Amino acid sequence: MTQPLETELLAEGDLDAELPPTSGAAAIEGRSPYKLAWLRIRRDRVAMASAIVIILIALLAILAPVIAHLTGHGVDQEFHRIGENLDGSPKGPGHIFLWGTDDQGRDLLVRCAYGARVSLEAGLIATAIAVFIGTTVGLAAGYLGKIVDTLLSRTIDLVLALPYLLFAIALVAVVGPSLRIAIAVIAFFSWASVGRIIRGQVLSLREREFVEAARSLGASSTRIMFVDVLPNVLAQVVVLSSLLIPSAIVFEATLSYLGLGVPPPTPSWGNIIAGAQTYTEAWWFLVFPGVLLLMTTLAFNLLGDAIRDAFDPRGDQNFARAKKG
Amino acid sequence: MARFLVRRISLGVVVLWIITILVFVMFFVAPNDVAHRIAGRNATPATVAVVRHTLGLDKPVTTQYWHFLIRLLHGNLGQSYFTQQSVSSLLSSRLPATLSIMAGAAVIWMLLGVTNGVISAIRPRSLADRGLTSFALFFYSLPTFVLGLAMLNIFFYQLHTHGIPNLPGSGYVPLTQDPYQWFVHMILPWITLALLLAATYTRLTRNSMLDVLSEDYIRTARSKGLGEGRVVMRHGLRSALTPIVTQFGIDLGTLVGNLVVTEKVFGISGVGALAVDSITNGDLPVIIGVVIVASAAVVVMNIIVDIAYAVLDPRVRLN
């Protein structure tokens, strides 16, 4: 990503519309790749809509206690008389329970709001850990090379060859289900793909002149890795993180659905849906947590795609070519 | 070719060997009370000791692992702690169901995914492209159990309650027993799995085709007057297939172990269900057996993918 080329492209491109009308040489202004990406995302309507959905879900999670307070229904509070039908089955949406109740007469809205906390927590923390480990391993393997690279790359291959869902289930069954274990398991099975991609990037960066310059000035390997190489892969790290979050959220929901994630009575979208499986007639029981889960992962995926496109230096060229073709 | 195969296969064996150690360590680091559970709730310590002795659990972990490894090299995966059945017979009774789900779904997802990807790539950013990529991203974001339960609710429960002929909601009928019933029972799991996986393939095919279609030789093919269909299919799709075949091989490998959720949603007792059952019981030999078979599937498929590379792409040389 050389800056002059980018600015030229942009000066001709349709980003002009966003810029204040300037004349002559002043129109050409240096912009960092991050600034460019931010500009591209800002005019991407789908990305902005996704961001708004994510903010709304985050608000739902943050405001969960407020929702519980407003409805007057505790998260684990069971309403056997008003919250269940005579046969003990869940009650549909109404003015007391806006989203209906679950199989134990608990308020589904309150439980889904608290479930959002679990999903976002698991998704964000597991991704942060996985990206941190993956980036460090990728930097070390790609830059140090030789025996370090062989060892780390083989480890990456091994982790990627594990039937991850089976291993996750086995691991959780041995140590007992909890949110912490779920997060650890998700991080353990997610760092390897990050490591592999970062390693590939670092391998080619290592041969570039600026690294050679740093080395000839006497910089240590650690310094070159973290000060010179790392900033050049950060864009890739951002993209990978944004695409890992939804898969971590799905992973957590899947573990919880199988009864191996967050232990009840703590609600998680996954374990709420597991409860819904036996009550086929109670559509709200499946639809509300299911749609929340889908909206969250969809929004993160759309945003992740937009971020990837925004960081792609060929982005506008591709677009131009497509318009011509 | 022979040297390449030997290297890849020995690497695969090492991976499998490390996996057996991982599983062993995992189950022995944690407090394990299998003997208690087998002996029953009211067993005296003496009975528990006897059970422990007959299962070989009183020996050091290293000795147990050694015995296990020797047996494994003789092709013996051991016996279930609980039912005394041999692990290999348990596995072979469960594999047909898992493979049935995979085979049918694979046909649908490949057809759907690759076709949609090609249509998207022919006219990028057209209405069809936008529609198909949104369709793909929707299913890509959908967790297996959400789609599975939704399908089950619509095509089984809703139809059933309204008295409309419907698809069976759960279970597995062996192909050899009744081909028609086998097919009918498989439709919902197939469609669920295929829709989810086709999404990946649509995205993959689209990207790969877009790269290939901008190559010079595509322009050459067009300029020498070839029909567009022939350019896209013969010159474009064939070279765009490499990443798709890779993904297909990897998916077939990992699915043996990852069908757990599909099997649970549709109540099919396949390999995944066997794993979940034995994990809740602490039936170590069965767990190790399932993990080894599932990992072996991944390793074998990776080797096949590498060979397929060379067949599909003449530029790839294996040595």
Side-chain angles (χ1 to χ4, degrees):
Chain A
M1 281 191 206
T2 51
Q3 237 121 289
L5 183 76
E6 280 291 330
T7 29
E8 270 167 41
L9 267 173
L10 273 168
E12 302 167 16
D14 39 357
L15 258 182
D16 272 351
E18 285 265 315
L19 302 170
T22 40
S23 60
I28 299 171
E29 146 198 14
R31 294 195 201 92
S32 74
Y34 293 94
K35 245 188 196 163
L36 282 174
W38 174 238
L39 277 176
R40 286 186 189 146
I41 289 172
R42 270 231 327 251
R43 64 174 178 156
D44 185 337
R45 260 181 254 132
V46 177
M48 291 323 281
S50 311
I52 291 170
V53 169
I54 293 168
I55 292 170
L56 288 178
I57 304 269
L59 279 178
L60 184 69
I62 295 167
L63 296 180
V66 178
I67 295 171
H69 181 77
L70 286 179
T71 53
H73 302 148
V75 61
D76 298 328
Q77 209 177 344
E78 298 176 8
F79 298 91
H80 290 294
R81 243 180 317 148
I82 51 167
E84 282 176 3
N85 295 320
L86 286 176
D87 59 349
S89 62
K91 257 215 165 98
H95 63 281
I96 302 177
F97 299 99
L98 289 176
W99 284 11
T101 62
D102 72 357
D103 51 336
Q104 289 173 44
R106 294 173 294 196
D107 190 323
L108 202 60
L109 171 63
V110 175
R111 289 189 74 73
C112 283
Y114 274 93
R117 297 186 147 203
V118 171
S119 282
L120 292 182
E121 206 178 318
L124 296 177
I125 298 177
T127 303
I129 300 173
V131 168
F132 177 75
I133 300 176
T135 311
T136 316
V137 169
L139 273 175
Y143 184 75
L144 298 175
K146 300 199 188 92
I147 179 90
V148 181
D149 184 26
T150 315
L151 274 178
L152 292 177
S153 294
R154 286 292 90 79
T155 313
I156 290 175
D157 288 346
L158 180 73
V159 173
L160 290 177
L162 295 176
Y164 66 90
L165 202 48
L166 275 185
F167 252 81
I169 294 170
L171 203 67
V172 173
V174 169
V175 290
S178 76
L179 182 57
R180 261 191 214 169
I181 295 297
I183 290 174
V185 165
I186 297 167
F188 177 76
F189 286 103
S190 312
W191 68 269
S193 54
V194 179
R196 175 173 279 183
I197 296 169
I198 298 298
R199 173 184 170 271
Q201 299 253 309
V202 174
L203 272 185
S204 68
L205 283 171
R206 189 175 64 171
E207 309 300 329
R208 296 271 289 272
E209 289 84 352
F210 67 91
V211 172
E212 209 182 320
R215 207 179 296 138
S216 56
L217 282 171
S220 69
S221 294
T222 328
R223 193 192 148 83
I224 297 179
M225 268 160 52
F226 289 98
V227 178
D228 297 309
V229 179
L230 182 62
N232 286 289
V233 294
L234 269 187
Q236 188 73 38
V237 170
V238 172
V239 172
L240 285 173
S241 316
S242 59
L243 291 170
L244 257 189
I245 294 171
S247 64
I249 290 177
V250 170
F251 204 154
E252 185 282 320
T254 306
L255 285 178
S256 292
Y257 167 75
L258 293 170
L260 300 161
V262 185
T266 309
S268 135
W269 293 340
N271 69 26
I272 297 174
I273 293 172
Q277 183 159 10
T278 36
Y279 291 92
T280 25
E281 73 280 11
W283 58 267
W284 58 93
F285 202 176
L286 172 63
V287 166
F288 288 118
V291 168
L292 274 178
L293 187 52
L294 173 65
M295 269 170 52
T296 312
T297 52
L298 193 60
F300 272 112
N301 275 326
L302 284 168
L303 188 63
D305 274 3
I307 293 177
R308 188 188 53 204
D309 292 346
F311 272 117
D312 188 350
R314 297 171 311 167
D316 284 347
Q317 282 167 300
N318 276 344
F319 187 43
R321 194 185 67 207
K323 274 203 290 197
K324 266 180 246 155
Chain B
M1 182 75 182
R3 263 186 61 195
F4 167 81
L5 273 182
V6 169
R7 211 180 63 223
R8 277 310 308 262
I9 290 172
S10 42
L11 197 69
V13 171
V14 171
V15 168
L16 288 179
W17 173 61
I18 296 176
I19 286 173
T20 61
I21 296 179
L22 282 180
V23 180
F24 243 84
V25 169
M26 222 160 70
F27 276 86
F28 281 97
V29 171
N32 206 324
D33 59 343
V34 182
H36 270 284
R37 228 176 299 170
I38 296 170
R41 208 166 279 177
N42 302 319
T44 58
T47 332
V48 175
V50 171
V51 172
R52 199 164 279 154
H53 181 73
T54 36
L55 295 178
L57 289 172
D58 52 346
K59 297 193 188 77
V61 180
T62 41
T63 323
Q64 289 187 46
Y65 180 72
W66 182 248
H67 285 281
F68 159 78
L69 207 59
I70 298 292
R71 268 202 329 243
L72 185 66
L73 291 175
H74 288 87
N76 183 353
L77 284 167
Q79 286 179 333
S80 156
Y81 283 161
F82 293 92
T83 61
Q84 309 306 323
Q85 268 179 292
S86 80
V87 174
S88 30
S89 74
L90 270 172
L91 274 169
S92 51
S93 71
R94 299 299 192 98
L95 262 176
T98 300
L99 294 179
S100 298
I101 305 177
M102 273 169 60
V107 173
I108 308 173
W109 93 58
M110 280 305 265
L111 282 176
L112 196 67
V114 175
T115 316
N116 288 355
V118 170
I119 295 173
S120 278
I122 293 173
R123 298 214 178 289
R125 297 195 177 237
S126 66
L127 200 63
D129 176 32
R130 280 170 196 276
L132 288 172
T133 38
S134 316
F135 180 75
L137 198 70
F138 177 81
F139 285 107
Y140 182 79
S141 306
L142 207 54
T144 316
F145 60 97
V146 175
L147 179 61
L149 290 176
M151 299 280 281
L152 209 53
N153 199 304
I154 297 165
F155 293 103
F156 169 67
Y157 181 74
Q158 297 298 342
L159 292 185
H160 183 76
T161 40
H162 291 89
I164 303 163
N166 57 281
L167 293 165
S170 72
Y172 171 73
V173 178
L175 175 63
T176 44
Q177 192 185 316
D178 184 345
Y180 175 73
Q181 281 302 322
W182 170 82
F183 183 79
V184 176
H185 278 83
M186 281 291 131
I187 292 177
L188 284 181
W190 279 346
I191 295 177
T192 304
L193 199 59
L195 281 175
L196 295 167
L197 278 155
T200 316
Y201 288 80
T202 307
R203 285 155 71 89
L204 202 62
T205 311
R206 179 180 183 274
N207 292 344
S208 178
M209 278 296 277
L210 276 180
D211 281 345
V212 170
L213 288 181
S214 64
E215 294 279 347
D216 288 341
Y217 64 82
I218 293 294
R219 192 185 50 199
T220 310
R222 282 199 183 114
S223 57
K224 75 179 183 187
L226 283 186
E228 189 60 23
R230 206 178 152 84
V231 171
V232 170
M233 298 315 282
R234 287 286 291 272
H235 295 251
L237 186 57
R238 194 172 165 210
S239 8
L241 268 180
T242 323
I244 301 163
V245 169
T246 312
Q247 185 67 36
F248 185 60
I250 291 171
D251 278 341
L252 283 188
T254 46
L255 270 184
V256 175
N258 282 352
L259 279 181
V260 179
V261 177
T262 316
E263 286 172 11
K264 182 175 158 134
V265 170
F266 293 104
I268 294 168
S269 31
V271 177
L274 177 67
V276 174
D277 292 347
S278 42
I279 284 166
T280 21
N281 290 332
D283 201 342
L284 187 60
V286 185
I287 300 167
I288 296 184
V290 176
V291 169
I292 288 178
V293 168
S295 315
V298 176
V299 169
V300 169
M301 285 318 297
N302 278 334
I303 297 175
I304 295 178
V305 162
D306 284 340
I307 298 170
Y309 257 9
V311 177
L312 273 174
D313 189 339
R315 287 168 304 185
V316 175
R317 291 281 168 272
L318 288 179
N319 285 318

